[in-house]
């Protein structure tokens, strides 16, 4: 199985998870199974350049949410946490430039790398959190892009997580240069 992502957002090319949307029932189901992941992932930033500005922003924020949610979970590992901090840094430093100029070669490549890194960390078992848990279902019910819903839910979700993840949130902000 070969995956060729066309956005800089899901990281699905390196995980054993798939999201299946039923538009008639307005529901979304996540399916995880061994051996459904690709054996080869072709990460070509040229495909990501074809996204619209809106899609670049929303899929980029979805990948950013993968990074910070997987980082603050309690099930992460030193492997996933190291990858996620770098992915968060790359997304934070390149999402705006890439959204406004998909021809920015460096921003495009960094977004693609960070997206795949987030997927790898999730595949290592880091998982996601409250933003994605709610975001998948709300996006199905509201017929709205998943990354857009993640953006709407992020502030409330991470405020909820803050008391249990102060050190991790501090490490994330440091990785972003804040």
């Amino acid at each position: 199985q070969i995956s060729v992502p066309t956005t800089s957002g899901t990281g699905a090319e390196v995980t054993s998870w798939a999201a299946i949307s039923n538009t008639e029932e307005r529901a979304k189901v996540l399916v995880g199974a061994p051996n459904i992941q690709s054996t080869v992932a072709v990460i070509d930033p040229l495909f990501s350049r074809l996204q619209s500005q809106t899609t670049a922003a929303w899929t980029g924020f979805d990948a950013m949410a993968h990074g910070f949610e997987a980082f603050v979970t309690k099930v992460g590992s030193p492997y996933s946490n190291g990858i996620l901090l770098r992915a968060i840094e790359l997304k934070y430093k390149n999402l705006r430039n890439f959204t406004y100029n998909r021809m920015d070669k460096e921003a495009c490549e960094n977004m693609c790398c960070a997206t795949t890194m987030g997927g790898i960390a999730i595949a290592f078992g880091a998982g996601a959190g409250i933003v994605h848990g709610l975001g998948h279902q709300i996006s199905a019910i509201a017929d709205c892009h998943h990354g857009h819903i993640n953006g709407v839910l992020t502030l409330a979700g991470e405020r909820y997580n803050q008391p249990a993840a102060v050190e991790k949130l501090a490490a994330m902000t440091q990785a972003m240069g804040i």
Side-chain angles (χ1 to χ4, degrees):
Q1 300 164 339
I2 299 172
S3 294
V4 182
T6 57
T7 68
S8 56
T10 70
E13 66 274 10
V14 291
T15 71
S16 56
W17 291 93
I20 301 170
S21 295
N22 181 333
T23 55
E24 288 181 18
E25 298 290 325
R26 297 179 92 163
K28 187 182 278 190
V29 176
L30 298 179
V31 178
N35 301 321
I36 67 166
Q37 73 273 12
S38 298
T39 51
V40 174
V42 178
I43 316 300
D44 188 341
L46 292 176
F47 290 116
S48 294
R49 290 180 174 181
L50 302 174
Q51 301 175 89
S52 70
Q53 185 176 40
T54 301
T55 301
W58 290 348
T59 61
F61 195 84
D62 182 27
M64 181 70 158
H66 290 152
F68 66 73
E69 279 203 292
F71 184 70
V72 300
T73 65
K74 293 181 179 183
V75 296
S77 70
Y79 298 111
S80 63
N81 288 345
I83 291 169
L84 288 165
L85 280 176
R86 180 68 170 140
I88 290 165
E89 175 189 10
L90 289 172
K91 285 290 180 180
Y92 181 79
K93 291 180 176 177
N94 293 281
L95 178 56
R96 184 179 307 242
N97 288 348
F98 179 66
T99 296
Y100 288 106
N101 179 11
R102 267 120 17 253
M103 296 305 125
D104 180 330
K105 183 178 183 238
E106 183 178 350
C108 183
E109 289 177 1
N110 286 336
M111 290 293 290
C112 290
C113 287
T115 297
T116 302
M117 291 165 74
I120 289 168
I122 289 171
F124 279 163
I130 192 168
V131 171
H132 268 79
L134 292 170
H136 279 295
Q137 297 313 315
I138 292 172
S139 65
I141 292 168
D143 191 25
C144 189
H145 191 281
H146 172 64
H148 186 190
I149 294 296
N150 287 348
V152 170
L153 295 173
T154 290
L155 188 58
E158 294 318 304
R159 280 187 177 154
Y160 174 82
N161 287 329
Q162 185 176 1
V166 172
E167 291 177 13
K168 285 188 174 185
L169 291 170
M172 278 183 4
T173 57
Q174 186 176 16
M176 292 186 286
I178 299 172

